[in-house]
């Protein structure tokens, strides 16, 4: 049995704290929320403190913040229909580009592994792919209308330019660019959840994906490439993603977020029952029908819904979480 | 609103009497847990968006369709649209949710749903009312908040 030790509670935001994001080096993180501000936190001695507060970037709730892989840029997605890009080329963090185009609320933003592409998604049911075209310049590469409802989350494959999106239409979709005509298209639809898919996370290899849903389950999906040994039928020479594991019976309400640590392989979930749970793949797990053990159930992790969980990318087993109660917590996991 | 109401001539029901306050409830030493009647009292006087009537008078909300679990911090409200194709169902549900959000301690998880089998888009309305992100976004819309405030104003 594992244990989550609370290292610190931070007064994050007025109103809902929606999202936290680690800087790639794991020494700094950003948070955002209903109060329309972004806070950047770092450690001073043993204490995490606010170092910078970014205001006036957005007119409405900031739903998500994400660092670029190089750590020099921060993107923020807002209900005001825009995505802002922040950097500190001038010495201070400033918003130097605003991506406009979505009709209404932007729900998520993600950087590709190279940092050359950005994806955004929103309530207008679309997913947009943007290319970094130059200093502070971003060009829209594609508008993908594969979902027929609100798109909640976008995430890139850890090493390839493959994009995944999760939606209120209960599905997950994957996209990539066709190398011949450089058109982006949907290459797979992952169907199994019975309600809104709120979030998703690739494992270290990118061959597997974890998704979480309002149906109170977590699902693990595996990619089967053309000519796979398992004999899974693949059409059109595109990989097939199959649900190979469903974790049900653990969560008592909607699961809002999931994070899969690329160093330790641990999965953490954020749930509407105020609980943080941690899962680990069993040692004798079958790759085509894996089993995951619940290592830790942190009751009352927050006093309200947990909205987001994020493992420190260095693999030091630090976990960030934030909640409707406005608080941000930093935990240390030990097995 | 110039739009003609979906249900032009709704049936009007009698109001409940006021809650009788027991001796126990006057006793400051006894902790009063939230009960169904208390939740009912919070939402019975919400105004219908289309008629100068309360949700109680239209029997959209009833005490028997409310459940409270104090230990689990759960409040569940089922409401019954006056007609199965009522276009105001989401707005009514949202008004109930907002009223309870404002009145109850934040520890409560409030679920507001259409009573089973009483609306053609029951599933879609329930899903939307349960999506806290969409509710949060809706509550940043000033026009909508104004309409909701008129509904919940007593």
């Amino acid at each position: 049995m594992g244990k989550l030790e609370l290292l610190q509670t931070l007064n994050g935001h007025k109103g809902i704290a929606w999202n936290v994001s680690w800087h790639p080096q794991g020494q700094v993180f950003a948070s955002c929320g209903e109060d329309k501000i972004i806070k950047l936190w770092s450690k001073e001695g043993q204490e995490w403190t606010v170092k910078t507060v970014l205001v006036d970037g957005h007119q409405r709730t900031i739903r998500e913040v994400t660092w670029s892989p190089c750590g020099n840029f921060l993107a923020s997605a807002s209900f005001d229909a825009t995505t802002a890009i922040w950097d500190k080329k001038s010495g201070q963090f400033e918003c130097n580009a605003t991506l406009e185009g979505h009709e209404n609320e932007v729900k998520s933003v993600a950087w590709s592994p190279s940092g050359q592409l950005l994806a955004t998604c929103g309530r207008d049911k679309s997913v947009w792919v943007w290319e970094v075209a130059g200093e502070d310049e971003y060009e829209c590469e594609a508008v993908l209308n594969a979902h027929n409802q609100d798109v909640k989350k976008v995430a890139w494959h850890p090493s390839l330019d493959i994009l995944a999106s999760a939606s209120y239409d209960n599905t997950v979709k994957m996209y990539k660019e066709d190398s011949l005509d450089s058109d982006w298209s949907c290459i797979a639809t992952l169907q199994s959840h019975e309600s809104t898919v709120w979030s998703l996370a690739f494992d270290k290899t990118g061959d597997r994906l974890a998704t979480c849903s309002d149906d109170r389950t977590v699902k693990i999906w595996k990619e089967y490439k053309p000519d796979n040994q398992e004999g899974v039928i693949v059409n059109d020479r595109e990989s097939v993603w199959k649900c190979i594991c469903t974790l049900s019976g653990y969560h008592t309400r909607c699961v809002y977020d999931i994070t899969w640590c690329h160093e330790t392989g641990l999965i953490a979930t954020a749930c509407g029952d105020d609980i943080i749970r941690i899962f680990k793949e069993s040692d004798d797990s079958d790759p085509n029908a894996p089993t995951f053990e619940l290592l830790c159930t942190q009751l009352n992790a927050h006093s309200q819904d947990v909205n987001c969980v994020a493992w420190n990318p260095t693999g030091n087993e630090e976990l960030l979480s934030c909640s409707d109660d406005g608080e941000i917590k930093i935990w240390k996991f030990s097995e | 609103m110039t739009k003609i109401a979906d249900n032009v001539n709704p049936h009007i029901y009698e109001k409940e009497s006021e809650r009788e306050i027991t001796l126990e409830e006057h006793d400051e030493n006894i902790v009063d847990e939230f009960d169904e009647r208390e939740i009912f009292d919070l939402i019975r006087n919400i105004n219908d968006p289309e008629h100068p009537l309360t949700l109680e008078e239209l029997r959209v909300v009833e005490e028997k369709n409310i459940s409270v679990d104090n230990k689990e911090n759960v409040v569940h409200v089922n409401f019954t649209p006056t007609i199965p194709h009522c276009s105001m169902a989401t707005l009514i549900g949202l008004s109930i949710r907002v009223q309870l959000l404002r009145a109850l301690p934040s520890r409560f998880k409030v679920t507001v749903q259409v009573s089973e089998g009483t609306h053609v888009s029951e599933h879609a309305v329930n899903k939307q009312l349960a999506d806290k992100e969409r509710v949060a976004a809706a509550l940043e819309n000033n026009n909508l908040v104004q309409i909701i405030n008129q509904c919940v104003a007593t």
Side-chain angles (χ1 to χ4, degrees):
Chain A
M1 272 292 118
K3 180 169 128 271
L4 264 185
E5 181 199 348
L6 179 63
L7 297 180
Q8 210 180 328
T9 301
L10 306 168
N11 280 323
H13 294 271
K14 281 200 193 85
I16 300 169
W18 275 113
N19 191 247
V20 282
S21 171
W22 285 103
H23 184 275
Q25 274 142 32
Q27 307 292 318
V28 170
F29 69 86
S31 66
C32 65
E34 193 180 3
D35 57 7
K36 311 175 187 71
I37 62 175
I38 297 168
K39 289 184 173 178
L40 304 182
W41 308 78
S42 68
K43 218 169 177 180
E44 204 164 89
Q46 287 305 302
E47 298 276 294
W48 287 87
T49 50
V50 180
K51 282 296 148 66
T52 309
V53 179
L54 306 179
V55 295
D56 298 331
H58 291 289
Q59 311 298 314
R60 291 182 57 190
T61 283
I62 304 174
R63 178 63 182 89
E64 192 171 285
V65 279
T66 322
W67 292 95
S68 64
C70 64
N72 293 331
F73 299 91
L74 181 73
S76 56
S78 167
F79 285 180
D80 69 9
T82 70
T83 305
I85 313 291
W86 308 76
D87 64 56
K88 56 171 182 182
K89 277 179 284 201
S90 66
Q92 282 188 328
F93 266 96
E94 284 173 359
C95 172
N96 284 319
T98 304
L99 313 185
E100 293 175 352
H102 281 285
E103 279 172 37
N104 41 42
E105 295 94 306
V106 185
K107 301 282 178 77
S108 177
V109 56
W111 298 84
S112 72
S114 65
Q116 288 306 298
L117 296 170
L118 264 170
T120 57
C121 67
R123 194 164 70 92
D124 63 7
K125 307 171 188 178
S126 67
V127 172
W128 293 49
V129 179
W130 308 79
E131 189 175 25
V132 181
E135 188 151 329
D136 303 332
E137 276 186 52
Y138 298 81
E139 270 172 19
C140 176
E141 280 268 293
V143 178
L144 302 159
N145 288 304
H147 285 292
N148 57 39
Q149 286 291 344
D150 192 357
V151 189
K152 297 295 197 187
K153 185 89 175 178
V154 279
W156 290 91
H157 185 286
S159 52
L160 305 171
D161 285 344
I162 290 176
L163 178 67
S165 63
S167 166
Y168 189 88
D169 70 12
N170 308 354
T171 71
V172 171
K173 291 186 185 275
M174 301 256 186
Y175 316 82
K176 75 168 188 190
E177 188 180 22
D178 189 312
S179 50
L180 294 176
D181 58 10
S182 45
D183 266 352
W184 284 81
S185 60
C186 176
I187 53 166
T189 298
L190 285 59
Q191 219 152 4
S192 181
H193 279 297
E194 289 166 11
S195 189
T196 303
V197 188
W198 278 91
S199 188
L200 38 79
F202 281 98
D203 77 347
K204 172 175 65 179
T205 64
D207 298 341
R208 293 193 297 175
L209 182 74
T211 55
C212 63
S213 163
D214 189 29
D215 69 11
R216 305 174 182 191
T217 70
V218 164
K219 288 180 186 281
I220 310 292
W221 308 75
K222 180 172 156 62
E223 180 185 15
Y224 291 91
K225 297 187 172 113
D227 307 318
N228 60 80
Q229 291 183 341
E230 290 84 359
V232 174
I233 296 168
V234 170
N235 294 320
D236 304 331
R237 307 302 295 165
E238 287 295 353
S239 294
V240 166
W241 288 80
K242 270 183 61 175
C243 176
I244 52 169
C245 174
T246 300
L247 300 172
S248 56
Y250 294 107
H251 300 89
T252 69
R253 298 184 77 87
C254 179
V255 192
Y256 288 111
D257 196 25
I258 189 159
T259 175
W260 199 337
C261 182
H262 289 180
E263 299 295 324
T264 63
L266 294 168
I267 289 176
T269 59
C271 186
D273 60 13
D274 311 347
I275 297 172
I276 295 173
R277 293 174 179 81
I278 295 174
F279 298 88
K280 185 193 178 189
E281 188 167 5
S282 312
D283 293 334
D284 56 353
S285 180
D286 173 351
N288 294 301
T291 46
F292 286 78
E293 290 166 54
L294 178 65
L295 285 191
C296 175
T297 304
Q298 183 65 43
L299 297 173
N300 304 311
H302 285 272
S303 65
Q304 294 182 53
D305 296 3
V306 189
N307 290 324
C308 176
V309 278
W311 287 112
N312 187 309
T314 63
N316 66 0
E317 305 203 322
E318 271 178 6
L319 184 76
L320 277 175
S321 64
C322 65
S323 163
D324 276 3
D325 64 17
E327 288 184 344
I328 297 164
K329 290 186 177 181
I330 304 169
W331 310 82
K332 172 83 179 173
F333 180 72
S334 52
E335 244 184 87
Chain B
M1 243 184 270
T2 50
K3 181 182 166 288
I4 294 168
D6 281 345
N7 187 359
V8 185
N9 192 14
H11 191 85
I12 302 164
Y13 298 87
E14 249 182 78
K15 287 192 194 184
E16 292 262 342
S17 56
E18 292 302 313
R19 178 188 182 122
E20 277 180 50
I21 296 174
T22 62
L23 275 175
E24 266 194 356
E25 284 168 330
H26 277 299
D27 186 341
E28 293 292 330
N29 295 318
I30 296 174
V31 179
D32 292 327
E33 297 277 12
F34 282 91
D35 61 15
E36 284 73 13
R37 178 60 204 233
E38 207 162 346
I39 304 297
F40 180 64
D41 283 345
L42 287 170
I43 60 176
R44 61 193 284 207
N45 291 318
I46 295 176
N47 299 302
D48 182 83
E50 294 183 321
H51 299 282
L53 295 163
T54 66
L55 296 186
E56 177 188 16
E57 288 168 309
L58 294 167
R59 222 174 259 185
V60 171
V61 296
E62 291 176 88
E63 192 179 338
K64 71 175 172 60
N65 288 336
I66 297 170
S67 68
V68 181
D69 186 332
N70 277 282
K71 215 172 109 259
E72 297 292 325
N73 293 324
V74 170
V75 171
H76 196 112
V77 176
N78 278 337
F79 68 102
T80 313
T82 57
I83 44 169
H85 51 271
C86 176
S87 63
M88 294 287 155
T90 310
L91 180 60
I92 292 170
L94 202 53
S95 301
I96 297 170
R97 231 191 119 147
V98 168
Q99 173 73 348
L100 294 177
L101 210 66
R102 290 175 179 167
L104 293 176
S106 59
R107 65 187 165 94
F108 277 105
K109 310 273 184 192
V110 178
T111 307
V112 177
Q113 290 188 317
V114 172
S115 304
E116 209 184 322
T118 63
H119 197 273
V120 288
S121 314
E122 179 182 326
H123 178 71
V125 171
N126 288 345
K127 189 168 184 179
Q128 195 151 351
L129 289 173
D131 186 321
K132 69 167 187 185
E133 186 185 56
R134 289 165 73 125
V135 170
L139 295 182
E140 288 185 356
N141 176 335
N142 287 334
N143 292 333
L144 187 59
V145 170
Q146 255 179 19
I147 295 170
I148 291 172
N149 283 342
Q150 280 165 15
C151 289
V152 301
T154 48

